[in-house]
Amino acid sequence: MGGGGAPEWVIREDASQPVLLALYLRQVLGLRSPDELPQLRGIPPRLVSRDDDAQARLERQWREYWAMTVEPQAHPSPVPLDLVDGFDTLVALPLEGCDDLRAAITPFAAEALAYSQSAKERYRKEAAAKPGVSYRAYASAIAEHERQVGRRAHSFELNVQVLPLAQRGVWWIGSLTIAVTDGLRGDVAAFDAAIHPIIAELA
């Protein structure tokens, strides 16, 4: 990762519990934002009936919560945050403007917490079983990019969320954050091909 004045790249890979929680809540509440990001695998659909105005308010409040969850530094809340009961310290919503979302997610606290803990643990075990694999995947993509463009890669930061999504692929979910399906992440050749355009865009 560079030193002594050379360009530096920082890639953080995780299956963040707050991100998993947010996506679980999106699904059980019947929300669509962000439209392009697939649903989580294995969560049965819930029948949700609410009027269009209530749905629009919930979608808007969830989008704000999602942005603060994925990249908290880039999306600070204009008002103080307050922890939501039942979610430990993993869900904090603005004190104002999020009443609909707070009321809607509270009944799902126990199941959402259990889901996010188990998905996080599964990722942790898979990553621990293959030490060094994560670093090598990114290092080889950067080396290949450098060969193609004939210069050192620019310094950049990238956050990678490895998630159990129902569709295979890579999606931008923040200005420095991508979501990658766990199945794709585990497929060395396919992940290498998928991460190349991302690295090319940043480096």
Side-chain angles (χ1 to χ4, degrees), residues 1 6 11 39 45 55 57 68 74 79 98 105-108 113 116 118 125 135 151 157 161 169-170 172 174 188:
M1 286 203 198
I11 297 176
Q39 303 276 293
Q55 181 75 11
R57 277 199 310 276
M68 287 190 298
V79 297
C98 270
I105 68 175
T106 302
F108 297 107
L113 213 49
S116 64
S118 114
K125 280 184 179 155
Y135 176 84
R151 60 162 174 79
E157 269 184 60
Q161 292 291 336
V170 178
W172 282 102
V188 175

Side-chain angles (χ1 to χ4, degrees), residues 70-71 74-75 157-159 172-178 202:
V70 172
E71 292 184 346
H75 300 278
E157 269 184 60
L158 178 65
N159 302 305
W172 282 102
I173 55 172
S175 53
L176 299 172
T177 309
I178 57 169
L202 295 168

Side-chain angles (χ1 to χ4, degrees), residues 15 20 39-42 115 119 122 162-166 180-182:
L20 287 160
Q39 303 276 293
L40 295 166
R41 273 194 317 273
Y115 173 84
R122 197 166 56 247
V162 181
L163 305 170
L165 300 169
V180 178
T181 325
D182 51 0

Side-chain angles (χ1 to χ4, degrees), residues 31-90:
L31 304 177
R32 288 177 299 278
S33 301
D35 289 332
E36 67 282 359
L37 195 64
Q39 303 276 293
L40 295 166
R41 273 194 317 273
I43 298 165
R46 312 282 170 108
L47 214 54
V48 180
S49 69
R50 60 177 76 96
D51 66 37
D52 290 350
D53 286 348
Q55 181 75 11
R57 277 199 310 276
L58 218 45
E59 294 265 1
R60 181 179 47 73
Q61 292 173 20
W62 188 87
R63 276 196 304 274
E64 287 171 25
Y65 155 57
W66 175 241
M68 287 190 298
T69 301
V70 172
E71 292 184 346
Q73 276 120 346
H75 300 278
S77 172
V79 297
L81 296 175
D82 188 34
L83 293 173
V84 179
D85 289 343
F87 289 96
D88 293 340
T89 56
L90 296 169

